[in-house]
Amino acid sequence: MDLSNLNNNQKVAVEKIGLPVLVFAGAGSGKTRVLTYKIAYLINEIGLPPENILAVTFTNKAAQEMKTRVFELVDKDISNINIGTFHSISAHILRREIHLLGYANSFTIYDQQDSRSLVKKVMKNLNLDLKQIEPKSIQARISNAKNSLQSVDYFKDINDNYSDKKFYEIYGAYQEELKNCDSLDFDDLLVLPLKLFKEFPDRLEKYQDKFQYVLVDEYQDTNKPQFEFIYSLSSLHKNIFVVGDDDQSIYGWRGADISNILNFKEAFGESHIEKLEQNYRSTNNILQAAWSVVSKNTNRSEKKLWTENGSGELINLIESFDDRHEAKQIYNLVLKFKNNLNNIAILYRTNSQSRIIEDRLRIGGIPYQIVGGVKFYDRKEIKDVIAYIRFLVNNNDSISFDRIVNFPPRGIGKTSIDKINEFYSTNSDSYLDLSNCIDNISVGPKQKLALDDFLSLIKKHKSKIDSNKGSDIVKTMISDLKLEHYYMKQKTDESIDRWNNIQEFLNGIEEYEINNPESNLVEYLEEISLLTDIDKWNDSENKVTLMTVHSSKGLEFDNIVIAGLEDGLFPIVRAFEDDNIEEERRLFYVALTRAKKAVNISYAKSRRQFGGAPMITTKSRFIKEIPEEIMNVNLISNSENPSFDNFKKGNFKKYKKYSSLKSTPNDSIIVNTLVEHKVFGKGKVLKIEGVGENSKLTIKFYNNVVKKLILKYANLTIIKG
């Protein structure tokens, strides 16, 4: 096999056989090339059958790219090779084995919205006040527990307070309800294969024998269940090849554990470690800026990227009066690329930052696309149709039932739905069985008739699943529901758009069937449930791309703009609270290394927060970590007129109030001190834990927002009386 396209380090990684291999692949160093060549090498040179190879990554887009590249390198049929995301590979296993755990093989996969709906439903059944205990926080805690492999029983004896006790009850009821619904949330997709392997060792042996060589992309982003999954499957043959970059570990907030890559040898024993440090994407100035920042971290492997691409342009630093001025300056920058808008991306730390930039681009007639906005499959009208399909294939899906039993409106109100669900939980094994005992449900005659009509419609189309194409079933069902009439009679632009979206959804099912002729509706539901934001991104259109830095991971552009580089925004304020500045620094490193030719970093001297008045900001510490000699600095003068666009001088006077705030030594802050924070505004110190600059302050801000901040990172200003 010809490996002449690889550099020496890449070649060594590809040819290394007989030991676990870890490849530290810096940004733009050709990790995808190494992975695909490794797979091709295993097939062409080692003679390993494609079906005995498992390659796992994090996005469908990356998996598809990997398949395409391997296909070009291998002469054999690789249609049966196992390349996919952690979630899709796990779902594939569970479709065949989950009956052993007491679930139906046609299980439903709940997205985040569905999962939260189930949390609310469970809490209501437990007679808990949704205002006292926030369902969103419960959902997040359940997800964190699963990502830490903490089962319900783990919390049985953790009853330190009311919240802990109630969490144990909710978590247990939530898991029970999921099983009753024959449904899984995204985290279950990772956890249940481990449960399967533990309780049924023969199943583990089956998949160990099947997957004789395991390869993992973006290994630094693996969490505990993903590590255990990979470890279990590779423990027999010891054939594991992982590629990653600890400097790009940016998902700690969702359970990713950087120690998985840093402690690879400890986990897998004698191993080969290879470092890819030659960068093929960026200029030297970009790499120097990125290294100058990330090298400040202590928890990392030592490496430094280099390139033959030349010095390139200086890092362009843009200062603005406020966020509106920033949006205007970014717009002016984008205008230079009007004919090549797909070559530029605007990155930001939080989704909320996009609005003002969008407004400026829209006014200026600049086409753009957002990655991470409202997903197509999250639109109400689409989720309604999906709920109908899910209920067709899984008649125990209570969340789907609740969503569609009165859509389109049938006169079955919330109270009636609750009574139907109460009767169902004690008297039926399936919602469809209710048609045999409707007279016993304590709802009115009109509601009984409407329920019977609904169930009859479901039965009618369910009977066709085995003999008709999925797209034909869905089309006929939508016709029977008279959805076109429902939306078109409203005669609004929004309703017309909703109907058009449904038509596009139907086109999507047909397209899926053309590409997957042996598929069924269960497989189609699985496909769309596992889509990520980036999977639908199109880089061929002449549009500016707007996205968060997290969404940009794995992408590249000729030119990038990083907006909002202020302390409290990037790095985000909670990084100071959690002492997690290193992950924020890695995130900035990721942002910088998306660029091939030019980087523009931007900050505003004031910014509106939470819809309030403009607040003075502080330039991000990350900017200060970039050497001045590689920056082109564009600073504004305080004497310049801030009255750009419709920004009034009168509003600017609001900034003057900060002149009454005096910087004060740390030891001047005591309990009951009134302080001002750049993000949260005014507040009162309630509690101080510890002494000196590392002390932790509990502060109650306006609107009763309570935050715990580390003093040395908080940048508080004392309000003098």
Side-chain angles (χ1 to χ4, degrees):
M1 181 178 175
D2 184 11
L3 302 180
S4 60
N5 289 330
L6 305 180
N7 65 36
N8 185 59
N9 298 96
Q10 292 172 335
K11 188 169 180 286
V12 169
V14 167
E15 293 182 323
K16 193 67 171 177
I17 299 294
L19 285 176
V21 178
L22 163 62
V23 180
F24 281 110
S29 64
K31 71 174 179 67
T32 304
R33 170 172 288 191
V34 168
L35 268 169
T36 52
Y37 267 81
K38 183 75 177 186
I39 295 170
Y41 187 82
L42 291 171
I43 298 171
N44 289 340
E45 301 298 322
I46 306 302
L48 194 64
E51 63 266 26
N52 293 136
I53 296 172
L54 172 65
V56 193
T57 186
F58 279 84
T59 68
N60 295 295
K61 190 178 184 71
Q64 189 55 52
E65 183 183 357
M66 204 180 297
K67 283 180 185 176
T68 302
R69 291 201 191 184
V70 173
F71 179 79
E72 294 170 352
L73 295 170
V74 176
D75 295 331
K76 300 177 183 178
D77 178 19
I78 61 165
S79 58
N80 56 353
I81 197 169
N82 307 282
I83 300 179
T85 65
F86 276 98
H87 288 91
S88 67
I89 296 295
S90 295
H92 186 76
I93 292 173
L94 291 173
R95 287 289 176 207
R96 287 152 179 77
E97 314 291 353
I98 202 170
H99 60 278
L100 297 171
L101 299 176
Y103 293 78
N105 290 83
S106 58
F107 61 83
T108 297
I109 301 172
Y110 281 173
D111 62 19
Q112 198 167 30
Q113 187 178 327
D114 300 320
S115 171
R116 192 169 300 164
S117 295
L118 188 62
V119 169
K120 290 177 180 177
K121 187 172 185 175
V122 163
M123 290 178 66
K124 184 181 176 183
N125 292 340
L126 293 172
N127 296 314
L128 295 174
D129 187 350
L130 272 63
K131 294 179 180 178
Q132 186 178 7
I133 304 176
E134 174 60 46
K136 185 177 180 179
S137 65
I138 292 291
Q139 182 188 28
R141 192 173 176 185
I142 290 174
S143 181
N144 290 335
K146 291 182 180 182
N147 285 328
S148 301
L149 294 180
Q150 296 169 340
S151 65
V152 175
D153 288 341
Y154 176 86
F155 296 92
K156 187 175 182 179
D157 299 320
I158 302 177
N159 296 317
D160 298 338
N161 51 51
Y162 175 82
S163 178
D164 287 339
K165 187 179 288 186
K166 291 303 167 187
F167 175 73
Y168 168 67
E169 292 180 25
I170 298 168
Y171 188 7
Y174 172 81
Q175 286 303 113
E176 185 178 350
E177 190 62 26
L178 274 174
K179 194 167 186 179
N180 290 338
C181 296
D182 282 321
S183 300
L184 313 181
D185 61 22
F186 281 147
D187 298 312
D188 284 331
L189 288 174
L190 302 179
V191 172
L192 288 183
L194 302 179
K195 182 178 172 67
L196 175 76
F197 295 160
K198 183 178 180 180
E199 295 184 8
F200 300 92
D202 62 311
R203 300 295 88 184
L204 173 60
E205 291 173 11
K206 170 185 173 180
Y207 290 101
Q208 286 176 333
D209 189 55
K210 178 178 176 63
F211 304 133
Q212 294 179 20
Y213 208 107
V214 179
L215 304 97
V216 187
D217 189 17
E218 305 286 6
Y219 187 67
Q220 78 282 344
D221 290 333
T222 53
N223 61 17
K224 192 170 183 178
Q226 289 162 337
F227 167 78
E228 293 291 344
F229 181 74
I230 292 300
Y231 185 84
S232 298
L233 290 176
S234 63
S235 59
L236 177 63
H237 299 285
K238 307 291 185 184
N239 291 326
I240 182 163
F241 182 93
V242 307
V243 179
D245 182 9
D246 53 309
D247 287 335
Q248 297 186 72
S249 179
I250 59 174
Y251 293 109
W253 51 275
R254 70 182 190 194
D257 189 350
I258 194 172
S259 68
N260 287 346
I261 190 169
L262 294 177
N263 299 334
F264 181 84
K265 269 193 174 182
E266 285 80 351
F268 292 96
E270 184 183 357
S271 309
H272 177 81
I273 311 295
E274 196 68 34
K275 292 184 180 181
L276 305 184
E277 295 175 294
Q278 182 176 1
N279 176 281
Y280 295 93
R281 175 187 300 156
S282 308
T283 64
N284 191 59
N285 282 335
I286 293 171
L287 297 182
Q288 181 62 29
W291 182 82
S292 297
V293 175
V294 82
S295 62
K296 300 292 191 297
N297 283 352
T298 56
N299 192 28
R300 64 184 295 269
S301 64
E302 188 52 46
K303 56 191 164 308
K304 186 176 181 180
L305 295 178
W306 60 276
T307 185
E308 296 178 345
N309 293 340
S311 296
E313 296 182 27
L314 297 174
I315 308 299
N316 191 40
L317 175 62
I318 304 168
E319 182 185 71
S320 306
F321 280 111
D322 72 351
D323 43 353
R324 278 176 282 188
H325 188 208
E326 179 185 53
K328 184 178 181 180
Q329 295 212 78
I330 290 173
Y331 166 76
N332 290 337
L333 182 65
V334 168
L335 281 178
K336 299 176 183 177
F337 303 92
K338 200 165 185 178
N339 296 323
N340 296 287
L341 293 175
N342 56 331
N343 288 336
I344 186 167
I346 302 168
L347 312 182
Y348 34 79
R349 180 63 180 82
T350 65
N351 277 306
S352 61
Q353 293 170 252
S354 74
R355 196 263 319 157
I356 197 164
I357 300 173
E358 285 185 71
D359 287 348
R360 184 68 260 188
L361 295 175
R362 195 182 299 113
I363 292 169
I366 299 293
Y368 64 90
Q369 57 183 330
I370 292 183
V371 177
V374 178
K375 301 176 191 174
F376 179 79
Y377 294 101
D378 284 346
R379 299 175 189 271
K380 181 191 178 302
E381 64 275 14
I382 303 302
K383 283 192 70 72
D384 289 335
V385 176
I386 290 173
Y388 266 102
I389 303 173
R390 290 195 332 194
F391 194 69
L392 275 181
V393 300
N394 177 7
N395 306 138
N396 294 323
D397 184 352
S398 68
I399 297 300
S400 293
F401 174 83
D402 290 356
R403 186 178 188 101
I404 62 175
V405 69
N406 196 43
F407 178 82
R410 299 185 175 87
I412 305 177
K414 190 173 181 301
T415 302
S416 295
I417 294 174
D418 289 343
K419 289 179 178 179
I420 293 168
N421 278 321
E422 185 179 353
F423 182 87
Y424 160 73
S425 64
T426 55
N427 294 277
S428 298
D429 295 326
S430 163
Y431 277 103
L432 296 189
D433 294 340
L434 293 178
S435 58
N436 301 320
C437 47
I438 281 181
D439 290 341
N440 298 326
I441 305 173
S442 57
V443 296
K446 290 184 178 178
Q447 287 73 29
K448 289 178 180 177
L449 183 61
L451 176 61
D452 193 45
D453 287 344
F454 167 75
L455 294 174
S456 296
L457 180 140
I458 297 297
K459 286 180 178 179
K460 170 187 172 183
H461 296 289
K462 186 176 180 65
S463 66
K464 301 175 183 176
I465 285 180
D466 294 332
S467 57
N468 292 52
K469 287 200 310 182
S471 56
D472 292 338
I473 295 170
V474 178
K475 277 182 187 177
T476 308
M477 184 169 63
I478 287 173
S479 175
D480 287 352
L481 290 168
K482 297 181 173 56
L483 288 187
E484 182 177 10
H485 176 71
Y486 172 76
Y487 285 114
M488 300 308 286
K489 74 176 181 180
Q490 298 174 38
K491 297 181 180 178
T492 65
D493 290 344
E494 183 184 13
S495 64
I496 294 171
D497 284 345
R498 290 185 186 277
W499 173 245
N500 289 336
N501 286 337
I502 290 175
Q503 296 295 104
E504 180 59 30
F505 176 79
L506 290 172
N507 292 339
I509 298 180
E510 290 182 341
E511 185 178 325
Y512 177 78
E513 288 176 336
I514 292 171
N515 295 327
N516 303 273
E518 302 300 318
S519 65
N520 55 39
L521 283 176
V522 172
E523 291 166 333
Y524 173 70
L525 287 172
E526 184 176 303
E527 172 85 5
I528 62 175
S529 70
L530 299 177
L531 286 174
T532 62
D533 292 338
I534 205 64
D535 293 327
K536 291 294 183 180
W537 174 66
N538 184 355
D539 62 348
S540 63
E541 298 182 35
N542 189 37
K543 294 180 179 180
V544 182
T545 296
L546 279 66
M547 64 177 79
T548 65
V549 182
H550 281 99
S551 296
S552 73
K553 179 81 175 299
L555 304 179
E556 60 181 36
F557 301 87
D558 282 354
N559 311 275
I560 64 159
V561 179
I562 310 173
L565 276 166
E566 301 124 32
D567 273 358
L569 185 55
F570 199 176
I572 203 78
V573 68
R574 62 175 176 267
F576 304 126
E577 300 172 38
D578 303 333
D579 199 18
N580 197 22
I581 202 71
E582 291 207 353
E583 179 154 318
E584 288 292 297
R585 197 173 272 117
R586 293 193 294 269
L587 188 61
F588 187 51
Y589 173 87
V590 167
L592 289 170
T593 54
R594 297 312 92 201
K596 293 193 282 186
K597 295 179 179 179
V599 171
N600 302 272
I601 55 179
S602 169
Y603 74 97
K605 298 172 76 174
S606 69
R607 186 174 298 274
R608 293 179 184 271
Q609 295 282 349
F610 313 118
M615 300 180 66
I616 298 295
T617 65
T618 301
K619 179 168 63 177
S620 173
R621 62 198 59 209
F622 297 157
I623 295 175
K624 302 169 187 175
E625 293 173 357
I626 298 175
E628 291 184 4
E629 61 267 23
I630 63 171
M631 281 203 293
N632 175 40
V633 181
N634 296 288
L635 301 182
I636 59 173
S637 168
N638 288 328
S639 64
E640 292 182 46
N641 187 353
S643 302
F644 36 78
D645 295 339
N646 62 348
F647 188 70
K648 308 295 184 188
K649 282 188 176 181
N651 288 337
F652 196 70
K653 291 178 182 177
K654 291 175 181 177
Y655 304 148
K656 303 297 184 184
K657 68 181 181 179
Y658 287 88
S659 63
S660 65
L661 306 179
K662 309 294 182 184
S663 287
T664 309
N666 291 335
D667 59 6
S668 299
I669 296 179
I670 60 175
V671 173
N672 291 327
T673 298
L674 296 178
V675 296
E676 186 95 23
H677 188 274
K678 296 190 299 292
V679 176
F680 302 117
K682 294 177 182 178
K684 179 189 285 188
V685 178
L686 302 180
K687 184 179 178 182
I688 301 176
E689 301 171 75
V691 294
E693 64 177 5
N694 290 313
S695 60
K696 186 177 287 185
L697 310 182
T698 301
I699 306 172
K700 187 176 183 179
F701 294 98
Y702 71 97
N703 292 336
N704 292 319
V705 173
V706 177
K707 291 287 181 179
K708 288 187 177 182
L709 307 175
I710 298 172
L711 181 56
K712 67 178 177 181
Y713 297 128
N715 291 326
L716 298 170
T717 309
I718 292 179
I719 302 175
K720 296 292 188 182

